[in-house]
Amino acid sequence: MFPKPKAVLFPNTYAFESEPMVKPTGFREYDARWLFNKEINLMGVQALGMGLGALIAELGVKQEIVTGHDFRGYSASIKYALISGLMASGCKVHDIGLAVTPMAYFAQFDLDVPCVAMVTASHNDNGWTGVKMGANRPLTFGPDEMNRLKEIVLNAAFGNRSGGSYRFHEDFPARYIADLTNRPKLKRKLKVVAACGNGTAGAFAPQVLEAIGCEVIPLDTELDYTFPKYNPNPEDMEMLHAIRDAVLAHKADVGLGFDGDGDRCGVVDNTGEEIFADKVGVMLARDMSAIHKDAQFVVDVKSTGLFITDPVLQAQGAKTVYWKTGHSYMKRRTNELNALAGFEKSGHFFFNKPFGRGYDDGLVSAIAICEMLDRAPGKSMSDLKDALPKTWSSPTMSPHCADEAKYGVVDAVVKHFEALQKQGGQVAGQPIRDLVTVNGVRVTVADGSWGLVRASSNKPELVVVVESPVSERRMRDMFEAMDSVLRTHPEVGEYNQKI
């Protein structure tokens, strides 16, 4: 017997120490995120482990699972609570210790284990925790599995069984690093800034880049879970500016920034200018489709329109489809279509053979960028970027919106633009050319400028992105048009950053 989790409990009480707390909103579309001790306690994490073990059995998958944890002050204790629940459910647990998330995905292949539960809050601020889960490598859970997991955990429908066991795999990172670096060394001598924001990737990224032949300038690679400089998130301008300063100071060829759990990579060129991940994706797609005929790519709805309009990609026969934002959605779609790669604006890149195994790994992305430069010996990173058709793009901007309200707001915004299109109305002074509604709404107007509004899958926020192939003014016009619709909803709060 195990008690049903409560949605709210208060620290420094008997109940908090003796009952599980699991806030229902922590079950997101494709992973789980909670504020530790405010929305979930250790007993709640134990319940999550038992629920995950029960779901794995229900799916008919062998109850054998890889676990690892990211570098935060509380992640190890959360992992051990999760392990106790997994073992109670009958799972054989393979623990790889401190790890970046893709190391756990790699372990599924290397140890021949079907399931994964990686304890990480990814790029979320300190205080957050979470778990990325999967039971069918290289895929991670989507909404169906997450909804069923939520049902099992909140109803304490565990059906625990005996037979659980635990094994710790010593020095597992060496196997991961050897796998990544088992390739010909770069012919070109590249000087690379490796920025880790004091997060987990600091333990591994410099070693990997050195092993493929780079001269590495380490930036905030010391592990420090207080994140004293900034949150390790290569979409945040603070981290990008720190990389810029280091690139210019050291005259580096490129700056590579890794997020808190190492599954994303941000890029700053040799002039110190950040290149948003969707543009990096276009550059990599050009490079890869030159080698592989009729290459297929998948990109998320937040990404640049250049994937469709770029003349080089067109000439090389590359085909691109837009899909839902989110690492699980993108991973699944890239896998279903057997695409060469999937690119997400947040920096999650998914490389299939011969580049990768289909899961997102910031270090695989970093290697792909270095190899792209290696194949363009006379060109700098800024040369490759400047060769793209010019567009003006915003960073990802996130106004606050409660988890309980955000999907309703987005539904209303979608309906607004669908009605406007039917009426022949205008957005930012132009008729609507196209609406994509696979994930929120992406509104493209006659001159190719577009704006996106969707709900964040892992934070109480909305996501807004705008781009124009015409001018900065038109990009700002699109932002004002999208924001003016959002301002009709009082549930929408302040932005984390704006253009």
Side-chain angles (χ1 to χ4, degrees):
M1 290 294 290
F2 196 85
K4 270 191 186 180
K6 303 284 197 306
V8 180
L9 290 172
F10 297 98
N12 305 316
T13 62
Y14 175 82
F16 188 87
E17 296 296 319
S18 311
E19 295 179 58
M21 172 176 65
V22 182
K23 190 179 179 187
T25 53
F27 294 93
R28 312 285 169 151
E29 286 179 55
Y30 46 80
D31 55 24
R33 304 273 171 99
W34 290 274
L35 282 164
F36 183 47
N37 284 336
K38 292 182 180 173
E39 299 177 346
I40 196 166
N41 62 2
L42 285 175
M43 209 164 162
V45 176
Q46 188 181 2
L48 178 68
M50 291 192 284
L52 177 56
L55 176 60
I56 290 165
E58 194 177 280
L59 292 170
V61 179
K62 185 167 67 166
Q63 281 189 298
E64 204 164 335
I65 190 162
V66 169
T67 61
H69 69 280
D70 70 2
F71 191 69
R72 291 172 189 257
Y74 42 81
S75 289
S77 58
I78 286 167
K79 183 184 70 176
Y80 290 121
L82 184 76
I83 286 170
S84 73
L86 288 165
M87 288 171 62
S89 75
C91 283
K92 181 177 181 181
V93 177
H94 295 265
D95 185 4
I96 60 169
L98 180 71
V100 285
T101 294
M103 194 187 296
Y105 299 153
F106 165 72
Q108 288 177 272
F109 289 87
D110 192 57
L111 302 175
D112 193 22
V113 173
C115 305
V116 67
M118 174 68 193
V119 172
T120 177
S122 188
H123 64 277
N124 283 26
D125 297 331
N126 260 327
W128 285 91
T129 190
V131 187
K132 290 180 178 177
M133 295 163 274
N136 179 21
R137 64 190 181 212
L139 308 181
T140 38
F141 283 173
D144 291 347
E145 295 97 336
M146 289 307 299
N147 284 331
R148 180 61 185 136
L149 179 62
K150 177 180 179 179
E151 202 174 72
I152 292 168
V153 172
L154 297 184
N155 290 304
F158 301 125
N160 286 344
R161 58 181 77 181
S162 60
S165 64
Y166 174 85
R167 180 180 172 189
F168 184 79
H169 291 268
E170 214 172 338
D171 298 327
F172 190 79
R175 294 164 73 160
Y176 169 69
I177 291 167
D179 181 73
L180 284 175
T181 58
N182 181 23
R183 62 184 66 235
K185 286 209 174 191
L186 301 172
K187 293 185 280 297
R188 182 176 178 180
K189 192 68 181 169
L190 293 174
K191 188 187 281 191
V192 177
V193 171
C196 300
N198 304 109
T200 323
F204 315 110
Q207 204 176 330
V208 168
L209 292 167
E210 278 172 4
I212 65 165
C214 296
E215 180 189 341
V216 175
I217 312 296
L219 180 65
D220 303 321
T221 56
E222 308 78 16
L223 296 181
D224 185 341
Y225 52 66
T226 66
F227 303 147
K229 306 280 185 66
Y230 43 75
N231 208 38
N233 179 6
E235 269 194 298
D236 284 356
M237 302 313 286
E238 203 175 350
M239 184 172 188
L240 288 166
H241 289 163
I243 300 171
R244 172 198 64 197
D245 295 345
V247 165
L248 294 175
H250 294 277
K251 296 185 170 57
D253 294 294
V254 66
L256 301 171
F258 302 93
D259 71 337
D261 68 330
D263 56 12
R264 294 189 295 132
C265 177
V267 181
V268 171
D269 74 16
N270 51 297
T271 70
E273 191 172 320
E274 65 271 4
I275 313 176
F276 293 131
D278 54 347
K279 297 282 179 70
V280 176
V282 177
M283 293 158 71
L284 287 169
R286 280 181 160 195
D287 178 57
M288 294 162 74
S289 61
I291 305 166
H292 297 273
K293 197 171 179 286
D294 300 325
Q296 165 98 57
F297 299 103
V298 179
V299 299
D300 78 318
V301 291
K302 286 160 59 178
S303 291
T304 176
L306 286 178
F307 282 102
I308 300 295
T309 60
D310 178 48
V312 173
L313 289 179
Q314 288 176 345
Q316 290 175 179
K319 297 279 185 291
T320 302
V321 297
Y322 284 85
W323 195 241
K324 297 177 185 179
T325 292
H327 66 87
S328 279
Y329 295 130
M330 286 289 297
K331 213 170 334 201
R332 196 162 294 229
R333 193 66 173 157
T334 304
N335 184 269
E336 285 168 356
L337 297 177
N338 196 26
L340 194 57
F343 301 112
E344 195 178 2
K345 188 180 167 71
S346 65
H348 287 279
F349 291 172
F350 313 88
F351 295 97
N352 275 324
K353 287 178 180 174
F355 299 93
R357 292 184 178 85
Y359 53 79
D360 37 339
D361 186 335
L363 285 165
V364 172
S365 302
I367 291 166
I369 290 158
C370 292
E371 289 186 338
M372 173 178 69
L373 284 166
D374 202 39
R375 283 190 281 269
K379 293 182 178 171
S380 67
M381 195 71 188
S382 63
D383 291 336
L384 295 176
K385 177 200 68 188
D386 293 343
L388 300 179
K390 176 73 175 163
T391 68
W392 288 261
S393 312
S394 75
T396 299
M397 302 172 286
S398 300
H400 184 270
C401 191
D403 286 322
E404 295 82 353
K406 64 189 182 185
Y407 292 104
V409 169
V410 170
D411 286 345
V413 172
V414 172
K415 286 187 175 73
H416 166 84
F417 283 111
E418 285 177 334
L420 195 63
Q421 187 184 35
K422 273 185 188 154
Q423 296 156 15
Q426 295 194 332
V427 175
Q430 295 203 2
I432 296 170
R433 189 178 83 193
D434 184 40
L435 284 185
V436 176
T437 57
V438 293
N439 187 204
V441 62
R442 177 173 168 137
V443 185
T444 305
V445 298
D447 69 1
S449 303
W450 60 268
L452 169 80
V453 174
R454 57 176 286 274
S456 168
S457 301
N458 47 37
K459 273 184 163 182
E461 293 174 344
L462 302 181
V463 172
V464 179
V465 182
V466 292
E467 181 184 59
S468 175
V470 179
S471 67
E472 184 181 351
R473 177 68 260 161
R474 288 294 297 144
M475 173 187 75
R476 292 181 181 278
D477 290 345
M478 284 305 294
F479 173 68
E480 284 159 20
M482 305 308 282
D483 187 55
S484 66
V485 176
L486 291 180
R487 291 302 132 204
T488 65
H489 297 275
E491 308 95 321
V492 180
E494 287 303 305
Y495 285 80
N496 65 335
Q497 57 184 1
K498 281 166 92 170
I499 51 172

